[in-house]
Amino acid sequence: MMSLNERLDLIEPKILDSSFRTGRGTANEVNFWIFDYNSEDEMAVRAHVDFLVNRINGKRDDVHIAHFDLYDMMIEALRSKNYLDKVKQREESQGSDAIVNPIKRTLRLTEDGDLIINKIAGNLTPGKDIVFITGVGKAWPIIRSHTILNNLHSKIDRNPLVMFFPGNYTSELRLFGEITDDNYYRAFRFDSVQA
């Protein structure tokens, strides 16, 4: 079994390979990948993602990493709607459970005007950008990883996507190795196939 550092070192050569950026599976699967890892390795994975984004975006003209942190996007959307302070006050007075559904409604999750999905899909250059999605654990339980993947499936077809997932992925997403998010069979496990 490979160490985390060995797995992280696979990312750059794999995503820079032209077959990764243009490829689809033999059954025309979407080019979605899950890089799963132990949640205690979160800070190392974040640091490596930042390193890759800076390195690739600073050195290459033919490829660009479009990095989206789900938690940061949620906070930005709440702030832009002047709802962040209200959410904080409600959480302080009523607890964390009281804010989940109101935030989901504000973000219009799974609706046509889904703020998260539209922001990701609307800020990509087809054929050039590689999508990195992070912040999965920070945004849970409000934003669910399988929901993001399912809804991006119909919006992104010319950009490979790598979701950095703090947990385990087989055909099931198990956040933190414990919480079953849902079945998601369309994505490939990142280090299961070499470029």
Side-chain angles (χ1 to χ4, degrees):
M1 183 150 85
M2 287 187 281
S3 70
L4 176 67
N5 286 335
E6 289 171 324
R7 292 180 67 222
L8 290 170
D9 287 344
L10 293 175
I11 297 171
E12 184 173 7
K14 185 170 183 169
I15 66 173
L16 293 179
D17 187 285
S18 61
S19 65
F20 175 84
R21 297 195 316 263
T22 59
R24 292 175 79 86
T26 56
N28 207 29
E29 301 99 339
V30 293
N31 201 358
F32 282 16
W33 300 82
I34 307 288
F35 185 96
D36 61 349
Y37 57 92
N38 291 327
S39 56
E40 54 267 10
D41 294 325
E42 178 71 28
M43 299 314 288
V45 172
R46 281 188 205 176
H48 195 77
V49 167
D50 289 343
F51 164 77
L52 287 174
V53 169
N54 291 329
R55 178 181 169 98
I56 292 170
N57 290 351
K59 290 175 71 174
R60 309 261 321 210
D61 293 327
D62 61 326
V63 65
H64 179 263
I65 305 295
H67 179 202
F68 300 95
D69 182 300
L70 297 177
Y71 179 80
D72 291 346
M73 293 173 72
M74 176 177 64
I75 296 300
E76 179 186 320
L78 293 173
R79 187 174 285 126
S80 72
K81 294 186 165 296
N82 296 317
Y83 194 55
L84 189 59
D85 290 333
K86 293 174 188 169
V87 167
K88 288 178 186 177
Q89 291 168 359
R90 186 171 190 171
E91 184 177 27
E92 287 172 7
S93 66
Q94 298 177 21
S96 296
D97 289 341
I99 63 169
V100 172
N101 286 330
I103 293 175
K104 285 181 178 183
R105 284 191 302 274
T106 301
L107 298 176
R108 295 186 220 126
L109 297 178
T110 72
E111 297 176 17
D112 285 340
D114 186 315
L115 299 180
I116 303 300
I117 298 300
N118 289 346
K119 174 123 185 181
I120 294 170
N123 285 288
L124 297 177
T125 302
K128 182 176 182 181
D129 287 338
I130 297 170
V131 179
F132 276 11
I133 295 182
T134 61
V136 171
K138 297 184 292 181
W140 186 87
I142 296 166
I143 300 174
R144 308 289 291 266
S145 54
H146 77 279
T147 303
I148 294 296
L149 293 170
N150 280 327
N151 288 307
L152 282 174
H153 176 81
S154 64
K155 301 254 184 190
I156 298 176
D157 64 354
R158 294 189 49 219
N159 298 90
L161 178 147
V162 180
M163 177 178 278
F164 292 85
F165 185 79
N168 308 101
Y169 175 66
T170 52
S171 63
E172 182 177 73
L173 294 160
R174 292 188 57 78
L175 189 64
F176 312 126
E178 297 178 12
I179 302 164
T180 301
D181 199 358
D182 206 349
N183 289 338
Y184 188 80
Y185 59 89
R186 291 182 184 113
F188 302 100
R189 188 164 185 266
F190 190 82
D191 52 347
S192 64
V193 179
Q194 297 298 315

